[in-house]
Each structure stands twice: as structure tokens, then as C-alpha cells.
Amino acid sequence: MLDFTDRATLPDAPREFGFWSDGYWRKGVAMFERRSPGHGVPVTLTPRCTVDDLNAAVAAARRAFEDRRWAGLPGADRAAVLLRTADILRRRRDEIAYWEVLENGKPISQARGEIDHCIACFEVGAGAARLLHGDSFNSLGDGLFGMVLREPVGVVGLITPWNFPFLILCERIPFILASGCTVVVKPSEVTSATTLLLGEILSEAGAPDGVYNVVTGSGRTIGQALTEHPDVDMLSFTGSTSVGRSCVHAAADSNFKKLGLELGGKNPIIVFADSDLEDAADGAAFGISFNTGQCCVSSSRVIVERSVAREFEEILAAKMAKIIVGDPLQTKTQVGAITTDAQNSTILSYIDKGKAEGATLVAGGQALDLGGGQYIVPTLFSGVTPGMSIARDEIFGPVLSSFHFDTVEEAISLANDTVYGLAASVWTKNIDKALVVTRRVRAGRFWVNTIMAGGPEMPLGGFKQSGWGREAGMYGVEEYTQVKSVHIEVGKRAHWIK
Ligand code: NAP
């Protein structure tokens, strides 16, 4: 019996999972072995599904959509399933957090906080299921009445990344299900366990068979086949901008499925001289180190007013040096392991590029050997110029670049100097500056004197090459609907043929 409490240790043997299709666990033939990035030992075995498995799951989702077993229910009944799911998640919180830690490498206390957020997503999704509604037009004259119906888009394909396997899932699933859609999920092959567990949880909560399906396997086989599938009505993809681009091509070449894309970011944090520098430095350290900087919304560029730049960087470097990097199973750990070998090499190569391109290393800059697993110390570069690769590319790791500015216009221009537009933050005590920057910086999520705050009531999504559409809240549930305009003649028709 595994212990999921604060005394949790590694499993003696990897846990074997099936995949979840049409309401039941199904046995995989070939299996993928996942090693814990924090410890280097095998922790899970998940199926390498075939395209036939995917086709069967899509067919199950199609049946469950077309026979109205889900979309035909009152919103209140869908809400009841989502609320029961929230209750089960509350009961199984530490267990889900445990598998998240073992597959992803994030600290256990962080993972538990994420499950709490996921519970809130299901509660907000339940509210959305009851509140979703269309519109009416009483302005078309006495002879015509207009209604706008919101109808579920149909079968949704959902592809999720490895950085927040359960959180990103739960920022989408309650809203997909609230709308009346059915879904086939393809999680990242390296972090599939918790997405699979949600299958049995939703089933226990009363979701009919076929409403939620999970097909595991690699992006290149199962992910690609899902993007190209002619019977999937909408694809919600969260991941890199390059794979997002391939989803657009696949949608165009198959059935013009509707797309939601949540892609990369190179997010600015603008610090004015009049801000509370201690607060801003704490926010910047958190913004780049949380989840080892492997967040789409990680604030990877700090843009600080020149008059306080040196003082700010000193405060920030001192704070970063105090961050506890270590074994993700320890509750005191703040920064855990880098999730994949490839990502670890990418981050270290960017640290080398930063040094080679002439930036000044102010904090961190090296891997940490804990005798197993892969760890990188939160890193700060100063004197970064816009042409450097650490200034432009999404590193997706704990590497922060510092830029300096003299005027508000210069700060805005530096913040917008990226192909991305996912998130941004501004720190100032001056309300005018805060509002000017908030309105002029092109980003889908904005924070003033805080960072990465919020809840599932608020929409998520990006401008520019950070994606299309919004997830979460009422905006999110509406993404999974199609709008139908209905025109109703009132009274006797005025005849065309006299
Ligand atoms: P990724 O390589 O694009 O993978 C994302 C998902 O797509 C995974 O499930 C992956 O499966 C799958 N995939 C890979 N190749 C595919 C293909 N050809 N067709 C269909 N699916 C395919 O991204 P990642 O490295 O996992 O995640 C990091 C990126 O995600 C970063 O750019 C980050 O900014 C972005 N991200 C964005 C948000 C947001 O909300 N905007 C949130 C989190 C992450 P396998 O892993 O099994 O290959």
C-alpha cells in the first residue's frame, strides 16, 4: 500500500495503467516506462496506444455525443457530475499529487496546491454548466423574433503538455463537459497517469460512458492522428508554438475542425523605480522559478527602470539564492526537477549561449547534482540585449533575462518586442503608469503588482503567436460551443408571390 502523505516514498515497482475508453480501463499491448525526473527510477507504465485505439475512442465519444446522453441533460445534471468530481478530487488529492510529482518532478506541496486549483476548476465548471445560455433579439420588428442558441461543438480532441499535466487538463475538461461536448484526451506520453485517473473519477461521479476518453502514446503518432481525425469537431491544443502550427495545417487538411491553441510565451515583468522593490523581486523570483520555469506564463524577461536596476538585481539575486531546490517529495522543496532529459539539455544550452553572447551571469547558472534526477539552479542574466537568443527564445526553464529602460515608452516597446503575447506583469505604485502599461502591452493575461494570481473564473489565452481562443470561466465554456441564429416569423407571412 503506497503512502501519499508527507512520509511518501518512491514506489517499489512502477504502477501499470491501462487507457480509458468508453467508460472502462483497457489494457495496452506495448507500454511506455516513465522514470521519475527527480529520482531517475521507473515509476509508471502507460500504454502506447495504436491509431485503432484512438479511432475506437473517437467513435465512443461520437456515440456519446450524438445519442444526447450528455448534451441532452439539463445543465444542472452536468453540474452535479462536475461537483461530485470535485468532491472525489478532494478525497484523492494527495494521491493525484503524488503521481504528478513522480512523473513531472514538481514539488509535492506545489502539486497539492495545484489539485486544489483543479477542484476549483470543477466547481466553476459546474456553475458554467448551469449559466451557459444564448441570446435573443427583440429588435427585428413585430414580424420576426431572433434567438441565438449556444450548442456544444461536438467531439473535442484535447492535447496537453507535460509541465502541468493535471492542472492544464482541469482548466479545460470541466468547461468542455459543461458545454455538453464529449472528449478524447491525448496527454504527453511522459505524464499520462493523472489524466488516466480522471477517467475513473469522472465515471464514479456519474459521467456516462464515452463522455471522457484518454488515449495515451506519443505526440508524433497519437497526437498527430488526433489533429488529423475527420470525426473530431474541435481540437484544443496546449503546447509549443511549432506543434500548434502543425495543428493548424492538420485541421485545414482534414475537416476544418475548430481550433483552440494555447502556445508558448516570453513573458515580461516590468518594474518601475517607484515600486516596492522587495515585492517586485519576490514576484520576479517566483515568476521564473515556479515549476522550474517550465510554465507557459513564466516571466522570463524582467524589464527594470535603469535608475534602480543595480539595486533591484542585487535584491533579486539574493532572493533567488535562497530558493530551496531539491527532492520533490520533500515538503520544504520549492523548486523540483527538470521534467525531461531533452528539456534539461535545452536549458543548460541556453545558459551557455547567454554567457557566450555576452550577458552577465548574476545568479545560478549551473546544474545541481543530488545523486539522481536532474536539477538546475534558478539563474539570472543581466545586461541582456534584445538580439540575444536568451532574450528572444522561450527557454522553458528557470533562466531570467534582465533588461533596463529609461521611459515608459521604452518599457512598453521592450515588453512587446516578442512574437509571443501570453502574459505580462507590471510593478508600480503609480496608477497611471500601471494602466498605460496594462492597456498597451499585448498579452492575454496581465498582473499588476502581483504575478500568476487568479482563478478559473478568469479566462486564459494569448495574443500573437501565443495562440487562439480562451480557456476557463464563461469565456472558456463558450469556446466549446457553436452559435446558431434562429429566426422565428410571428404571425402571417407577407407573401412574395402576389
Ligand atoms: P509540445 O512538444 O508541443 O507537446 C505538447 C503536446 O503535444 C504533448 O502531448 C505532445 O505529446 C503532443 N505532440 C507532440 N508532437 C505532436 C504532433 N506532431 N501532433 C500532435 N501532438 C503532438 O510541447 P511541450 O514541450 O510538451 O510543452 C512545452 C510547450 O508548451 C511550451 O512552448 C509552453 O509554452 C507550451 N505551453 C503553453 C501553455 C499555455 O497555456 N499557453 C501551457 C503549458 C505549456 P508527447 O509529449 O507525448 O510527444
Side-chain angles (χ1 to χ4, degrees):
M1 187 75 173
L2 282 166
D3 183 350
F4 302 122
T5 69
D6 289 354
R7 295 181 304 278
T9 54
L10 292 167
D12 294 334
R15 172 169 173 185
E16 184 170 337
F17 288 83
F19 64 104
W20 185 265
S21 183
D22 206 8
Y24 292 92
W25 286 111
R26 316 272 167 181
K27 202 165 167 44
V29 180
M31 301 300 279
F32 170 80
E33 181 187 84
R34 175 61 174 156
R35 289 178 169 268
S36 161
H39 312 92
V41 302
V43 285
T44 54
L45 292 167
T46 49
R48 281 206 150 131
C49 292
T50 63
V51 172
D52 285 347
D53 296 330
L54 174 71
N55 291 339
V58 173
R62 172 60 58 195
R63 280 193 302 279
F65 181 69
E66 297 297 345
D67 69 12
R68 312 278 300 164
R69 70 185 82 162
W70 185 244
L73 294 178
D77 291 6
R78 285 197 296 278
V81 170
L82 300 177
L83 288 174
R84 281 196 293 271
T85 304
D87 286 343
I88 301 169
L89 289 178
R90 211 169 268 120
R91 172 163 46 85
R92 295 181 65 174
R93 166 190 188 251
D94 290 356
E95 173 201 353
I96 294 169
Y98 174 79
W99 294 111
E100 201 77 342
V101 167
L102 292 195
E103 287 196 335
N104 170 278
K106 64 181 70 214
I108 185 80
S109 40
Q110 178 192 320
R112 289 175 181 158
E114 287 175 16
I115 311 304
D116 292 338
H117 176 81
C118 296
I119 293 166
C121 289
F122 275 91
E123 290 170 342
V124 172
R130 299 190 72 151
L131 289 171
L132 180 64
H133 64 278
D135 204 351
S136 64
F137 282 79
N138 202 19
S139 55
L140 305 177
D142 281 347
L144 197 62
F145 179 64
M147 287 193 304
V148 180
L149 304 186
R150 283 205 173 266
E151 297 188 351
V153 74
V155 174
V156 176
L158 175 63
I159 299 180
T160 54
W162 44 254
N163 57 339
F164 289 97
F166 201 66
L167 183 135
I168 287 177
L169 180 76
C170 294
E171 285 178 339
R172 285 141 185 76
I173 288 296
F175 304 98
I176 293 172
L177 298 187
S179 73
C181 289
T182 60
V183 63
V184 177
V185 192
K186 204 304 281 181
S188 173
E189 186 167 43
V190 296
T191 53
S192 299
T194 54
T195 304
L196 289 163
L197 287 173
L198 186 61
E200 66 176 26
I201 291 170
L202 278 163
S203 183
E204 183 188 337
D209 295 351
V211 166
Y212 174 89
N213 309 274
V214 185
V215 181
T216 49
S218 78
R220 236 168 287 166
T221 52
I222 301 303
Q224 184 75 30
L226 189 55
T227 65
E228 292 168 352
H229 206 293
D231 207 23
V232 169
D233 299 300
M234 175 169 175
L235 181 79
S236 168
F237 171 82
T238 303
S240 61
T241 295
S242 62
V243 178
R245 188 167 279 116
S246 79
C247 293
V248 175
H249 291 299
D253 292 343
S254 54
N255 60 343
F256 280 109
K257 53 180 68 64
K258 187 177 179 186
L259 284 178
L261 301 173
E262 299 275 338
L263 309 174
K266 189 73 183 172
N267 310 298
I269 163 166
I270 299 173
V271 179
F272 283 100
D274 64 18
S275 66
D276 181 322
L277 293 187
E278 287 281 344
D279 279 4
D282 189 74
F286 174 70
I288 192 58
S289 308
F290 181 69
N291 211 47
T292 52
Q294 299 175 127
C295 308
C296 52
V297 293
S298 292
S299 41
S300 50
R301 296 181 296 142
V302 62
I303 298 170
V304 54
E305 193 159 355
R306 200 177 307 279
S307 58
V308 294
R310 182 180 287 258
E311 180 190 354
F312 177 77
E313 284 167 4
E314 279 171 12
I315 300 171
L316 177 55
K319 286 189 185 290
M320 287 171 81
K322 283 194 198 162
I323 294 169
I324 303 167
V325 183
D327 180 348
L329 281 173
Q330 299 286 320
T331 50
K332 67 176 194 307
T333 296
Q334 291 175 294
V335 167
I338 305 298
T339 304
T340 70
D341 297 348
Q343 193 56 29
N344 195 53
S345 309
T346 301
I347 299 167
L348 292 174
S349 79
Y350 272 107
I351 292 175
D352 289 342
K353 277 186 207 167
K355 292 179 194 159
E357 290 177 2
T360 309
L361 186 63
V362 183
Q366 76 276 1
L368 194 64
D369 184 1
L370 295 181
Q374 55 217 7
Y375 298 85
I376 295 177
V377 180
T379 296
L380 172 64
F381 279 108
S382 178
V384 181
T385 54
M388 292 181 188
S389 44
I390 56 168
R392 310 213 72 76
D393 300 350
E394 183 190 41
I395 301 173
F396 219 54
V399 182
L400 178 59
S401 296
S402 178
F403 303 77
H404 304 161
F405 70 89
D406 292 301
T407 64
V408 176
E409 282 304 316
E410 204 185 337
I412 293 168
S413 157
L414 278 166
N416 283 332
D417 185 19
T418 169
V419 297
Y420 298 112
L422 197 57
S425 156
V426 61
W427 298 72
T428 175
K429 293 290 179 205
N430 181 314
I431 185 76
D432 293 347
K433 279 184 201 164
L435 284 175
V436 166
V437 171
T438 301
R439 292 164 92 173
R440 296 265 310 278
V441 172
R442 303 195 64 214
R445 263 200 276 182
F446 217 96
W447 293 286
V448 179
N449 293 326
T450 184
I451 199 142
M452 290 192 203
E457 296 85 349
M458 299 283 279
L460 324 167
F463 284 35
K464 302 199 274 183
Q465 292 186 34
S466 291
W468 292 347
R470 294 294 178 267
E471 303 282 359
M474 288 311 292
Y475 294 92
V477 75
E478 286 178 359
E479 288 285 334
Y480 295 99
T481 63
Q482 295 273 30
V483 162
K484 180 184 282 176
S485 9
V486 181
H487 307 79
I488 304 169
E489 175 102 14
V490 181
K492 178 92 180 122
R493 174 176 172 78
H495 284 204
W496 183 55
I497 302 163
K498 303 287 179 197

